[in-house]
Amino acid sequence: MLEVCKSSLSTFTAMGCEVEEIRPDVAVEPVWQAMQTLRSWMTTSTLLPLVDDPAHKGMFGPQTLWEVENGRNRTGAQIMQASGVRTAYTHAFERLFDRFDFVVAPAVQVFPFAIEDKWPTEVAGHPMRTYHEWMLCCFLVTMTGLPALAAPAGFSKQGWPAGIQIVGKRRGEMECLRIAHAYEQARADVIGRLSPLMA
């Protein structure tokens, strides 16, 4: 996945961009834990009455029930602490824009998987602790609240598609769309074709 995503960076270089590998100066694990706290709390705040109603509980899948149980006993202090982590992380991420106009990152961590598999149980040899940890790189952008969009990056040797995220400055939606449009024009070789597995 990283190889395919990194290969798309040469397109930005060809477009006249200067490309440099960077990472926010913040530990990822506290952000991941804060994301789970906030996500479960929000899910619980809307779905708890239905989940606790025997007439409706059977309508929900195990992932939703897990979210509700994970959020059921969250305290105000835990929510405030998670919000503080999110704020500190967002500020750290935004400091990247002191030097850069955009951040480009993988859209997800794995290639498409079999429909029978509900979610990947490991990524690059690391076991997934939850049903959605395989989308960590997406959640790390979502936690910032910054404008972002997904674009095709290319295909693996086996023909599996990969994508990138283009992340912009706060209130920079139009700039994201502009650079994505330029990228789209430059990547007609990828944008305009189906995966070899579907062709």
Side-chain angles (χ1 to χ4, degrees):
M1 178 62 75
L2 283 175
E3 287 177 13
V4 176
C5 291
K6 283 183 177 181
S7 72
S8 72
L9 298 179
S10 61
T11 302
F12 291 97
T13 302
M15 289 163 49
C17 301
E18 294 182 22
V19 177
E20 183 180 330
E21 186 170 336
I22 56 172
R23 62 181 63 219
D25 184 22
V26 65
V28 169
E29 184 62 22
V31 180
W32 168 242
Q33 296 300 327
M35 190 285 302
Q36 289 183 82
T37 295
L38 296 171
R39 179 183 169 100
S40 293
W41 171 64
M42 288 187 295
T43 302
T44 302
S45 67
T46 56
L47 295 181
L48 184 60
L50 291 171
V51 168
D52 282 348
D53 182 349
H56 294 100
K57 187 170 185 175
M59 298 168 51
F60 298 100
Q63 296 82 28
T64 301
L65 295 175
W66 181 87
E67 292 284 0
V68 170
E69 291 308 313
N70 196 38
R72 182 184 292 273
N73 297 313
R74 295 289 179 179
T75 66
Q78 290 172 315
I79 303 306
M80 288 298 293
Q81 192 270 339
S83 294
V85 169
R86 176 175 58 185
T87 298
Y89 171 67
T90 299
H91 290 165
F93 199 102
E94 286 184 313
R95 284 194 291 274
L96 297 173
F97 295 109
D98 292 344
R99 291 186 53 217
F100 301 97
D101 296 313
F102 301 96
V103 173
V104 177
V108 293
Q109 295 160 218
V110 296
F111 290 105
F113 45 88
I115 195 169
E116 296 81 20
D117 298 334
K118 292 190 186 290
W119 59 82
T121 57
E122 68 175 47
V123 174
H126 298 283
M128 297 293 96
R129 294 167 288 176
T130 70
Y131 74 94
H132 49 13
E133 190 176 12
W134 64 276
M135 292 186 62
L136 174 61
C137 59
C138 183
F139 286 124
L140 290 175
V141 172
T142 300
M143 282 287 278
T144 68
L146 295 170
L149 55 80
F155 299 95
S156 70
K157 292 173 185 168
Q158 297 78 20
W160 298 112
I164 55 171
Q165 303 177 78
I166 301 173
V167 187
K169 298 175 183 176
R170 191 161 306 284
R171 293 179 292 281
E173 286 83 356
M174 187 56 70
E175 288 78 9
C176 272
L177 290 170
R178 285 189 182 114
I179 197 167
H181 178 69
Y183 175 81
E184 181 180 36
Q185 303 305 305
R187 290 305 308 265
D189 61 316
V190 172
I191 306 284
R193 74 177 178 127
L194 291 172
S195 163
L197 296 173
M198 298 177 68

